[in-house]
Amino acid sequence: MSVQVENLEKNMAKLTIEVSAEELEKALQSAYLKQKKNISIPGFRKGKVPRAMIEKMYGAGVFYEDAANALIPQAYSQAAEESKLDIVSRPEIHVEQIEKGKPFIFTAEVAVKPDVTLGEYKGVAVPVSHTEVTDEEVEAELKKEQEKNSRTITVEDRAAEKGDIVTIDFEGTVDGETFQGGSGKDYPLTLGSGTFIPGFEDQLVGAKAEDVVDVHVTFPEDYNSEELKGKAAVFKCTVHKIETKELPELDDDFAKDVSEFDTLEEYKNSLREDLKKKKEDEAKREKENAAVDKAVANAQMEIPDAMLDTQAAQMVDNFARRLSAQGMSMEQYMQYTGQNAAALQEQMKPQALKQIQTRLVLEKVAQVENIQISDERLEEEFEKMAKMYGMEKDKLKEILGDAEKDQMREDLAVQEAVTFLADNAVETEEKEEDQAAE
């Protein structure tokens, strides 16, 4: 096998791959042996027809397609390795010559990894992160926990109030006629939640259990049903039950019930620390993202279409796997959404482009800054992976080949490049940054 490389425009390359006539003959014979049991010709028993007779009856090229399909994957893989190109797309294959007694020749057009010219990437301005926790935020968290530990009780000694849950039957009419979706039985409605159209819930405030209330409303002009937009309607509502949430007292006993702390003050301090940690983690991610986005925006690179198509196709494949894990096939998703695979892939392209650009810039930063991953750091990653998969570390290392280990080093270097960019970024107040831009 031989390969010739031709560099094309826009980071594309064409490999011309030649497979010997002898290898082609082996592939043709293999295709014949696989297919002959399915071929019938008068005068011969099924499966016993000579290859020459089949080629005479159906043409010399009867086995060409199968032979080519058998030869191309291995020949392309070998040629890609020999070419030393950093290929970043699926190949576009064209058969140039296939004929008995002659070499089999085909071409593979591929995208190669673009070079990146970094712009400013050290000391880029990013918005300052605020991680202070206010008393109001602590009280809001405390309120959430109080709500989670509330209990629902039936109200029997008063009328419905905002915040109560009323269980109702309802039947709506427009111009005296019922309409689709306008009725319900034993529906739990929280008054003041805004679940129903404006004005509906307010008219149930003051109702008592077993009251029948005529609720008069007008459907909004932007309502999702054309037939009901702007129409006046009357809903006959029967209130069966009124319930309210009873909140626990915020005291030391509450703290003991919901946490490991003995006092409410200790619990509130813990909530403050948790909020602080959450804000700091979020601020770290936002700073990293902002620094990386700036570095990408300042860099120059030309992304070949084939590379973008390949990345988008991989994203569609990943999406299909996530759907499958949730019990839905891609075919079902397409039916529900009215999309097709081509439209979904096109939809993925902006995100695919950002992923490609980000990865290329981070790899370039790692290269320029000579970010190296030590053996000790790699061992730490093996430990984490082994723990995640429930395996012995040494067993995991046996399973992983050199290519996988090299990829791990590269991925870790990219992560370190993110940290490098964030550590070297300059935090500024957004208003100051905007004024500087002006």
Side-chain angles (χ1 to χ4, degrees):
M1 191 211 75
S2 65
V3 57
Q4 294 180 345
V5 179
E6 178 185 356
N7 292 318
L8 306 176
E9 294 181 344
K10 296 183 178 180
N11 294 305
M12 296 293 292
K14 182 167 76 172
L15 309 181
T16 300
I17 302 160
E18 182 175 313
V19 181
S20 70
E22 291 77 15
E23 289 300 313
L24 174 59
E25 174 56 31
K26 290 179 183 177
L28 289 169
Q29 181 65 13
S30 178
Y32 158 69
L33 293 174
K34 287 181 180 178
Q35 290 192 40
K36 69 175 185 175
K37 61 180 178 295
N38 300 319
I39 298 175
S40 297
I41 292 180
F44 295 91
R45 283 186 299 147
K46 191 172 183 179
K48 299 296 182 181
V49 185
R51 175 179 156 191
M53 182 61 68
I54 296 172
E55 291 175 336
K56 183 176 180 180
M57 289 286 294
Y58 295 102
V62 63
F63 300 117
Y64 284 176
E65 182 176 353
D66 285 348
N69 289 338
L71 288 170
I72 286 172
Q74 183 176 354
Y76 167 73
S77 179
Q78 185 178 341
E81 187 174 346
E82 288 182 10
S83 72
K84 306 299 183 184
L85 295 175
D86 198 344
I87 296 172
V88 291
S89 75
R90 296 169 181 172
E92 185 175 327
I93 303 292
H94 296 282
V95 174
E96 303 295 332
Q97 174 177 290
I98 182 166
E99 186 177 344
K100 279 200 304 183
K102 294 183 179 180
F104 171 48
I105 302 173
F106 69 97
T107 61
E109 287 195 18
V110 295
V112 295
K113 181 182 286 189
D115 193 19
V116 175
T117 302
L118 292 174
E120 182 184 18
Y121 67 94
K122 282 190 282 193
V124 296
V126 298
V128 66
S129 301
H130 296 285
T131 59
E132 299 82 9
V133 178
T134 66
D135 291 342
E136 290 76 15
E137 288 171 325
V138 174
E139 291 300 325
E141 285 297 307
L142 193 60
K143 184 68 176 175
K144 285 181 189 176
E145 195 64 34
Q146 186 186 32
E147 289 279 350
K148 280 167 58 178
N149 287 272
S150 65
R151 66 189 186 103
T152 302
I153 60 172
T154 301
V155 174
E156 297 177 344
D157 58 351
R158 64 169 174 79
E161 299 174 354
K162 274 198 174 181
D164 286 345
I165 304 164
V166 293
T167 300
I168 60 173
D169 294 343
F170 62 90
E171 184 173 42
T173 58
V174 172
D175 298 328
E177 299 291 332
T178 60
F179 54 90
Q180 186 176 3
S183 62
K185 293 281 190 183
D186 292 326
Y187 188 94
L189 175 63
T190 300
L191 302 184
S193 65
T195 305
F196 281 14
I197 59 177
F200 190 106
E201 295 165 23
D202 292 341
Q203 296 176 55
L204 292 175
V205 172
K208 294 183 178 180
E210 301 311 324
D211 279 358
V212 177
V213 181
D214 285 341
V215 173
H216 296 262
V217 293
T218 299
F219 284 97
E221 292 294 340
D222 60 352
Y223 194 65
N224 56 19
S225 170
E226 288 292 335
E227 295 78 12
L228 297 175
K229 285 182 178 179
K231 294 288 183 69
V234 179
F235 286 85
K236 182 179 180 180
C237 301
T238 302
V239 179
H240 290 306
K241 185 166 58 173
I242 302 170
E243 297 173 298
T244 191
K245 284 185 178 179
E246 186 176 71
L247 300 176
E249 289 291 331
L250 294 177
D251 53 21
D252 292 346
D253 288 336
F254 173 78
K256 291 175 184 177
D257 288 340
V258 301
S259 73
E260 61 188 27
F261 301 101
D262 293 328
T263 68
L264 184 62
E265 193 61 31
E266 288 176 316
Y267 179 50
K268 289 171 72 171
N269 289 337
S270 173
L271 290 176
R272 186 181 296 275
E273 290 173 9
D274 291 343
L275 285 170
K276 178 77 171 174
K277 178 67 165 58
K278 184 178 179 181
K279 281 194 170 189
E280 288 173 346
D281 289 344
E282 187 176 337
K284 179 175 180 289
R285 287 193 298 272
E286 288 177 352
K287 184 179 181 182
E288 289 175 346
N289 290 339
V292 170
D293 287 346
K294 284 287 184 73
V296 171
N298 293 338
Q300 292 182 344
M301 68 202 93
E302 186 175 29
I303 308 301
D305 291 339
M307 183 181 189
L308 183 58
D309 290 338
T310 297
Q311 180 72 11
Q314 289 174 350
M315 291 172 66
V316 171
D317 290 344
N318 292 337
F319 180 65
R321 280 192 287 273
R322 291 196 299 272
L323 284 178
S324 179
Q326 297 168 12
M328 180 183 290
S329 68
M330 181 61 88
E331 291 74 20
Q332 289 171 319
Y333 175 81
M334 297 299 181
Q335 289 175 355
Y336 295 149
T337 61
Q339 284 185 305
N340 56 43
L344 183 60
Q345 182 167 324
E346 193 66 28
Q347 184 181 318
M348 296 282 192
K349 281 189 176 180
Q351 187 181 350
L353 178 61
K354 183 175 182 179
Q355 288 184 3
I356 291 170
Q357 292 173 328
T358 299
R359 178 76 185 199
L360 290 175
V361 167
L362 291 173
E363 287 178 353
K364 191 69 173 182
V365 169
Q367 176 191 339
V368 170
E369 295 296 332
N370 195 30
I371 295 174
Q372 302 290 329
I373 302 302
S374 66
D375 291 342
E376 292 77 16
R377 177 68 181 87
L378 193 61
E379 285 296 316
E380 290 175 10
E381 195 65 18
F382 284 133
E383 291 278 5
K384 286 167 59 178
M385 287 181 65
K387 186 175 181 180
M388 182 170 59
Y389 292 114
M391 298 176 61
E392 293 290 334
K393 184 180 71 171
D394 291 342
K395 184 65 176 177
L396 176 66
K397 290 170 69 174
E398 286 178 16
I399 294 173
L400 295 175
D402 291 339
E404 287 81 5
K405 292 173 184 175
D406 289 342
Q407 186 63 54
M408 285 176 62
R409 282 188 187 273
E410 188 175 302
D411 291 343
L412 289 170
V414 164
Q415 292 175 24
E416 292 296 328
V418 172
T419 303
F420 174 87
L421 292 177
D423 287 347
N424 284 275
V426 178
E427 289 188 307
T428 61
E429 292 289 353
E430 291 187 69
K431 288 183 180 179
E432 294 175 5
E433 190 179 346
D434 291 342
Q435 288 171 359
E438 291 173 6

